[in-house]
Amino acid sequence: MTHLPPPAEELRLLDTELRQLDARRALLLARRAWLITALRPPVAPPLPPPPVRRPETTAPRVQNVLLVLGGTLLTVAAIAFTLVSWGRMGIAGRALVLGAVTLAALGSPVLLLRHRLRSTAEAVAGLGLALTVLDVYALHEVAFPDTNGLGYAAVASALLAALWAAYGLALGGPRRPAGEPATPARLPLRLPLPTAMAAAQLPLILWAAATDAGAPAMTAALLVTAALDTAVALRVPVRSVRLVAAVGAYGLGGWGSFAAGWLSWTATGPSAVARAAALLLFAAAIALAAAWRLPDANVATWVASAGGLLTVAALGGVPRSSLPGEWTVPGYLVCAVALLAAVRTRLPEPMRRGLALAAASVQAVAVVWALPPVAVVLLGPVARVGRVWTGAPSTAREAVTTDGVPWPAYAATAPLVLVVVATVLAVAVRGTQWRPRATIGASALVWAAALVLPAALDIPYWAGMSALGLTIVAAPAYVARSAVPRPVLFLLALVGSVSLACLSLATEGTTLGILATLTVLFAAVSGRSRLAPVAALTYATALACAVGASLGWPSQYIALLVLLVPVVAALLAARLADSPARVPLEVTGAVAGLLAVGLAVPDPPLLALVLALCAVIAAGTAVREDRRPAGYAATALFVLAAWVRLACWGVGSVEAYTLPVTVPALLVGAVRRRKDPLTSSLTAYGAGLSVTLVPSLLTAWIDPDWPRPLLLGVAALAVTLVGARHRLRAPLVLGGGVLALDALHELAPYLVQMAGALPRWVPPALAGLVLLALGATYEQRIRDARRVREVLGRMR
């Protein structure tokens, strides 16, 4: 019988057999995969696709190049034949050859269009058009050799334009009804019609040149041609024809308009002026008619603007030849103002906008023309600052043209120009958006006209001063009565007042009177503008200087008068606490104070007094809660005053200059610590103690005597004891440091003597002993140092 193992043993045997079978199967599968890989033929990587050569140009382009090149070569050949081989044939041969070739070139496009060879037909048609020009030239050489070349060219160009236009229409042009498809027999040619339009530009111009009609006739020919171009550009539907016509209209119209304007500007007699005006009006009519029909609103606006400018040039040039030179600009300006009447008509909006733009442009140019005399009136009197009280000039113009400043030519009518433009701004501009700006501009122009008027009329000096003064008084008075703030008017009045003040420097009495008037005037309107108090104080400062100079006082005494201005500024600033003019007032007062200090520099005792008074003013300002920082300026000024006074007394001790700083600084520090107990002693007393101790220490180190170091040591010891008593860090550190350095300075000679008497090995030995002692007690020294630091840290 077969032996059967127990179930557990049998299970173990079965698991072992299965593991061996799995290992064998894995080995056989790996071998099989390797054999398949070894028997498979190698697979080559896929090759990239061959590059595809793309054509560098398209077929239609190649076709057009070939056709254009062929037509050009045929045209060159025809020209060479006509010019070189013409004389070798008789009349019949010549007519037969040119006629046959021309008819063949002009007739071939018909057959080519039927076969839809449009590009070829265009090239052949171009050749035919060129041959017609050669036919005309040949006809002139054979039949009309004695005629005028320019006249013949004018007639020939007109005939060729008509012939080419008829040829283009015959081969299917714009006569085809809209919506009807183009049949093969009526495919339109693009070349003949624009070529005919280009040829139509020449007849009138060549005719004018042939007849030697002069500049007016040539200008008329240009403008008539431009008018025809404009009509064609607006009415013909063919785009290529409209493009050529538009180029001719802009080019010839611009050329003709410029020529007509030049004729108007250089015309001397009534007939020449009338001819030029008629040409300009014709050009303006062309532009306005085009603007009426143009569909684009922006283009129509600019074209209408050009028409308006041409109208102004035409009408304004008529009176120019019979009036003096200064009336030239007013004449054009009146025409521009009259042009504004068209804005109120029922013209299309683009035209009205363009005419308004033209009128505004002329007025702007007129204002620019009137600005040079305004600049002379404003800046010319400044030169009198270097020539104070040298005598009054005779006329107002002489007063502003000092130091070789010329009066502009033809400037007599500048005030009229400014007033006219100001009137237009005030009347014509009524829109809610632009009305405030127009009012400001009109006010500025009226002010400029009033400023220039005395010099333009060349009235006497005193009359000019009175007129200018009334102008300056009128502006602040209007500002004071107006419910709306007028900063621009006030600024203009302020600028004019500067010119008036400079003009018043001619004589002593005038200077005093004008400066006093300006001071009172701007003080009266100080509540209407933040600049009014500043202007009042500025003129008050100038008045103080003028009064002092009139009394013959030296500059240091004039400084006392000038100090009244900072006093007034401080008082006004205190009352105007919430006004925006407060800061400008204070700045003006500070500048006046600096001027007073500068005037007092030649006299040191008086300079000390001026500095002290300035310090009092600054201290009074610092009383206010929001102006506490002015106290620093007051302290600095007091110190400077004390220093200047000490220098006047010949005091050379440093402590005399530093103690006046230290005492107030310590008092301020004590008050601060009382209000804020957390304030550090270094913050409260450090600066005050350093101001005296440090300079005194530096002076003691270079002082060979013993009293100064002794007194400094006593003072430093006292400061140190006070710091130790009240446990204050600043006195303790500063006083102890100065005391130690002062003692070192006193013991330095003895230390030097001792070092020279000792052997050389003693210092190294002493240093070694010190290091050993320090090393032995290092921990104790660190603990003591920490304890000292804690003690100092608890001090305030």
Side-chain angles (χ1 to χ4, degrees), residues 22-50:
D22 290 338
R24 182 61 179 172
R25 186 176 183 275
L27 179 62
L28 292 176
L29 288 175
R31 182 63 179 174
R32 181 180 179 276
W34 181 85
L35 291 174
I36 291 173
T37 304
L39 293 175
R40 183 178 297 172
V43 179
L47 297 175

Side-chain angles (χ1 to χ4, degrees), residues 222-279:
L222 291 171
L223 294 177
V224 170
T225 305
L228 296 177
D229 291 336
T230 303
V232 172
L234 293 175
R235 302 186 66 88
V236 173
V238 183
R239 182 178 180 181
S240 58
V241 177
R242 286 191 288 111
L243 180 60
V244 175
V247 173
Y250 282 111
L252 297 180
W255 185 9
S257 300
F258 177 77
W262 181 256
L263 290 175
S264 176
W265 186 258
T266 57
T268 55
S271 59
V273 172
R275 286 194 299 269
L279 292 173

Side-chain angles (χ1 to χ4, degrees), residues 638-730:
F638 273 124
V639 170
L640 289 176
W643 287 357
V644 172
R645 174 55 62 183
L646 291 174
C648 295
W649 290 339
V651 176
S653 177
V654 177
E655 290 75 13
Y657 295 90
T658 57
L659 286 176
V661 181
T662 297
V663 173
L666 293 178
L667 292 177
V668 171
V671 173
R672 184 172 181 180
R673 276 183 59 83
R674 178 174 296 180
K675 291 183 178 181
D676 185 8
L678 298 179
T679 303
S680 173
S681 62
L682 290 176
T683 304
Y685 305 123
L689 293 175
S690 300
V691 168
T692 295
L693 292 178
V694 174
S696 298
L697 178 63
L698 296 177
T699 307
W701 273 64
I702 60 175
D703 192 353
D705 298 330
W706 61 269
R708 180 184 294 276
L710 178 59
L711 294 176
L712 177 61
V714 172
L717 179 60
V719 171
T720 304
L721 295 176
V722 171
R725 172 67 178 80
H726 296 282
R727 303 178 65 184
L728 298 175
R729 183 184 304 174

Side-chain angles (χ1 to χ4, degrees), residues 31-32 44 72 147 182 285 323 328 336 395 406 421 431 477 502 509 557 608 647 690:
R31 182 63 179 174
R32 181 180 179 276
T72 303
T147 59
L323 294 177
T328 299
T395 63
V421 178
C502 293
Y557 293 106
S690 300

